[in-house]
Amino acid sequence: MAESTTTTSTPEDGQIHGCNNSDNDTGDSCHLRIVVLGGKSLAKKDIFGASDPYVRIDLNTINGDINIDSVLTKTKKKTLNPSWNEEFIFRVKPSEHKLVFQVFDENRLTRDDFLGMVELTLVNLPTEQEGRTIGSQSYTLRPRRSVGAKSRIKGTLEIYHAFIRETREPSEPTSNNSDGEWEHVEATNAGGEVSSQPHPFPSGGTDALPAGWEERQDANGRTYYVNHTARTTQWERPTILTSNNSQNVDQLASDFQRRFHISVDETEPGRGASEDTDHTDSHNPSEISAPSTRRNSEEDNAAVPTDQTAVNEEEALPPRWSMQVAPNGRTFFIDHESRRTTWIDPRNGRASPMPNQTRRVEDDLGPLPEGWEERVHTDGRVFYIDHNTRTTQWEDPRLSNPNIAGQAVPYSRDYKQKYEYFKSHIRKPTNVPNKFEIRIRRTSILEDSYRIISSVTKTDLLKTKLWVEFEGETGLDYGGLAREWFYLLSKEMFNPYYGLFEYSAMDNYTLQINNGSGLCNEEHLSYFKFIGRIAGMAVYHGKLLDAFFIRPFYKMMLQKSIDLKDMESVDTEYYNSLMWIKENDPRILELTFCLDEDVFGQKSQHELKPGGANIDVTNENKDEYIKLVIEWRFVARVKDQMTAFLDGFGSIIPLTLIKIFDEHELELLMCGIQNIDVKDWRENTLYKGDYHMNHIIIQWFWRAVLSFSNEMRSRLLQFVTGTSRVPMNGFKELYGSNGPQMFTIEKWGTPNNFPRAHTCFNRLDLPPYEGYLQLKDKLIKAIEGSQGFAGVD
């Protein structure tokens, strides 16, 4: 990486770009030096294998991407490794502006070809000072968001960037101390509060510092001030007035902390403003203290000594030594003679004790495995230490716990081969339009869908591309709307309220056909045929139904016989009764081949065989009795409904073709996997924008997902993909509008925005939130409060 010894000169043309000096609010503006050094390994867009690259630099607003000013570098001819070395000075407002570097290939005949871009935020950039060497940075070129992965982008852009330090008067004292000699930790008061609000830019004051104060630069080039008398640091330049009025400064700092905690913790009712302080701004000077700090807790704060205790303990310290408390609550010692910090107490030679390691409860994820520890890096990301193997990792080890992250996906190569054979033998429609339009209302999705689908006489129309439109919404269906239609319609079709299906005796989730459906709906058989068509369409188009049926239902679809074992998963009490008959002499029960049936309060008798009311059950015929009971329980009394369902399903999918599957595989084919494995989900996720697997926002996202119940995880999956089900072999087989499409998270928007989803592309647009609790709250509100589509989706 190139290095540059900085000066305060301006570019040759003397021009300063960016916001004008005449702007009303220039107090927050400062000068930024940009040097475009060169590019490496750019993409080949020219047919002759070379390019004529140049760079366009845009100064835009963070909110709204409004362009303020633009400059261009010179064009370098016939090279993929250009060298520009061109300098520009911008007047910027770092909290409001950003720089966008776009590399183009100049083309005299057509429009210039785009070779990649770099988006640079201006907060925390270094500041130039005399004698300090600031290195350039190499950035990987990225495609535009609208272009996506199809754009051929590669290479890097090397840039030097630093704020130009304001010229100071010669009388101002300067520090000749090297920051590299210190391991500095932010001072805290008895309440654990930072002394003042962080500010990322030098104050620019020119007054002399009061006695006992020292000016320094942190690792990011920001100026801060050290009070050796009170052993504190702060961002604001001190004056004699502020030095004599430190009590007011401390009160302001306390007010800032109180406001900050309320804003961060407003999503958790009942949490007071005086709760733990690990939410303090990460831009304080304590960032340069040590590679990591432990996560704070309420118990940690309790370990912070009071001012009186600290004074009494410091009285016994050797000369030129002082004692402070690190952000994790552990006491450390400062040797001002050698300018070093240490955990070793110089009075007794022993290390200071570790604070209570009780983790702050944000989510009930359960304890870490034995020998593991959670810590927080200086950039805010959580990492984990395995003391058993003496290794560290970013991934939460609880992802491997199926009780927390969900059961692992049982990959079946046999199923995949069957499915590929199944897909290859499905007959494609001929002489049909290129799409079948379905216009429905959300409020009457069952009735509208029943009317449209049942009116189709040529079922090949239902095999063409489905184009779903919800009334009053402007979404364009590239797969996401169709998935949501199947999802919402299946919730209505299988709702026991309509009397077509009912819950099994085991739970209120597994469904079976209601044998009394004819009493609820005179046209129940036509509805079962319609439901069969929808199920067939879902299988044909690779969608999933939001329902799970009893195991005998799938066996009836496969025309397999149902045995006593199948009864166990449907009605345990009934199963135990039949097992007792099978293993004992049934004559003491005085049973006959006749059963009592109760349908909506009306009792009737059903003979299992002709004259069954007069045939006793004995040891000799009890096996026949059990077989006939199972036949009646699952097949005979719902025969008409099942026949209608299979008639509709068979009009889309040949019944002989699904016989290659067993009942377990057929359930997975139609309904997917019920439990969601977060580890499999995480391992099969793509990231776009500036996000990557170990980005702090992504860590917070997966922490939130891990804290969700399985139902909430399903709702999140449905929010992003349009369905709450996972394919048979896990998330790696998720499908989008153009075939296989992995779950994707892309950086978008501001912390004020809610996450948004593109169900056609299985993509979640996730804003860069300022804290974990804010991310989790926004995500939950987006999942629970979203409905409908607007725009292209």
Side-chain angles (χ1 to χ4, degrees), residues 187-245:
T188 56
N189 58 26
E193 295 174 340
V194 182
S195 60
S196 64
Q197 178 176 356
H199 195 284
F201 309 107
S203 60
T206 57
D207 297 332
L209 291 171
W213 285 84
E214 178 186 356
E215 177 183 326
R216 290 188 184 167
Q217 298 281 332
D218 70 359
N220 294 315
R222 297 171 297 178
T223 302
Y224 67 97
Y225 301 90
V226 181
N227 184 350
H228 290 289
T229 303
R231 290 183 292 277
T232 60
T233 60
Q234 67 181 53
W235 295 104
E236 285 80 6
R237 182 180 181 86
T239 62
I240 296 177
L241 177 62
T242 58
S243 179
N244 294 335
N245 194 21

Side-chain angles (χ1 to χ4, degrees), residues 341-401:
T341 61
T342 178
W343 302 115
I344 307 299
D345 190 332
R347 297 168 294 185
N348 54 30
R350 294 195 299 266
S352 61
M354 295 297 295
N356 192 325
Q357 292 304 309
T358 304
R359 190 175 65 85
R360 182 167 63 97
V361 178
E362 286 177 341
D363 298 305
D364 186 15
L365 301 182
L368 290 168
E370 185 69 26
W372 284 82
E373 178 187 350
E374 175 185 306
R375 290 193 183 181
V376 181
H377 196 268
T378 52
D379 60 8
R381 292 183 293 169
V382 177
F383 67 97
Y384 301 89
I385 302 175
D386 183 0
H387 293 287
N388 304 311
T389 60
R390 298 181 180 178
T391 58
T392 61
Q393 65 183 51
W394 296 109
E395 181 178 307
D396 192 327
R398 287 167 292 196
L399 284 171
S400 300
N401 185 349

Side-chain angles (χ1 to χ4, degrees), residues 615-660:
I615 303 176
D616 295 330
V617 179
T618 64
N619 277 326
E620 289 74 22
N621 60 13
K622 64 181 180 183
D623 290 338
E624 180 187 8
Y625 173 81
I626 294 174
K627 179 180 179 182
L628 290 175
V629 168
I630 295 173
E631 178 75 14
W632 168 80
R633 175 70 171 78
F634 294 118
V635 180
R637 62 177 185 165
V638 294
K639 182 177 181 180
D640 294 339
Q641 294 93 322
M642 194 66 193
T643 300
F645 175 86
L646 292 177
D647 185 23
F649 186 90
S651 65
I652 307 297
I653 303 292
L655 296 178
T656 56
L657 195 54
I658 63 173
K659 290 185 177 181
I660 61 174

Side-chain angles (χ1 to χ4, degrees), residues 756-791:
R756 68 180 185 184
H758 302 268
T759 56
C760 298
F761 311 108
N762 298 336
R763 190 175 84 231
L764 175 67
D765 289 345
L766 187 64
Y769 294 114
E770 298 172 351
Y772 166 72
L773 294 176
Q774 183 190 25
L775 180 146
K776 184 176 179 180
D777 178 65
K778 292 279 189 180
L779 186 61
I780 292 175
K781 288 181 178 178
I783 295 170
E784 295 180 340
S786 65
Q787 177 173 301
F789 289 82

Side-chain angles (χ1 to χ4, degrees), residues 337-491:
E337 186 71 30
S338 61
R339 298 179 185 144
R340 299 288 181 186
T341 61
T342 178
W343 302 115
I344 307 299
D345 190 332
R347 297 168 294 185
N348 54 30
R350 294 195 299 266
S352 61
M354 295 297 295
N356 192 325
Q357 292 304 309
T358 304
R359 190 175 65 85
R360 182 167 63 97
V361 178
E362 286 177 341
D363 298 305
D364 186 15
L365 301 182
L368 290 168
E370 185 69 26
W372 284 82
E373 178 187 350
E374 175 185 306
R375 290 193 183 181
V376 181
H377 196 268
T378 52
D379 60 8
R381 292 183 293 169
V382 177
F383 67 97
Y384 301 89
I385 302 175
D386 183 0
H387 293 287
N388 304 311
T389 60
R390 298 181 180 178
T391 58
T392 61
Q393 65 183 51
W394 296 109
E395 181 178 307
D396 192 327
R398 287 167 292 196
L399 284 171
S400 300
N401 185 349
N403 295 326
I404 299 175
Q407 295 292 332
V409 177
Y411 179 81
S412 172
R413 184 177 300 276
D414 182 55
Y415 171 82
K416 187 171 182 62
Q417 292 174 347
K418 289 180 181 180
Y419 182 75
E420 291 174 352
Y421 174 86
F422 170 78
K423 292 293 288 184
S424 65
H425 282 73
I426 292 180
R427 188 176 63 86
K428 305 298 180 183
T430 57
N431 299 324
V432 293
N434 58 355
K435 65 180 180 180
F436 180 73
E437 296 185 359
I438 303 175
R439 295 187 177 90
I440 37 109
R441 297 166 294 176
R442 286 185 181 270
T443 54
S444 56
I445 188 171
L446 178 59
E447 293 81 359
D448 290 353
S449 301
Y450 171 75
R451 174 177 47 82
I452 294 172
I453 301 302
S454 298
S455 63
V456 175
T457 56
K458 186 179 180 180
T459 55
D460 277 357
L461 290 173
L462 304 178
K463 299 179 182 179
T464 187
K465 178 179 175 60
L466 302 179
W467 189 266
V468 177
E469 293 183 13
F470 288 102
E471 187 179 271
E473 300 177 19
T474 57
L476 299 180
D477 188 8
Y478 291 102
L481 288 174
R483 275 203 300 271
E484 191 189 21
W485 175 64
F486 278 108
Y487 171 77
L488 296 176
L489 181 58
S490 59
K491 290 180 73 70

Side-chain angles (χ1 to χ4, degrees), residues 466 486 533-545 652 669-670:
L466 302 179
F486 278 108
R533 279 191 176 185
I534 295 297
M537 291 168 61
V539 172
Y540 183 90
H541 292 285
K543 312 301 182 184
L544 296 172
L545 300 176
I652 307 297
L669 177 69
M670 295 175 59

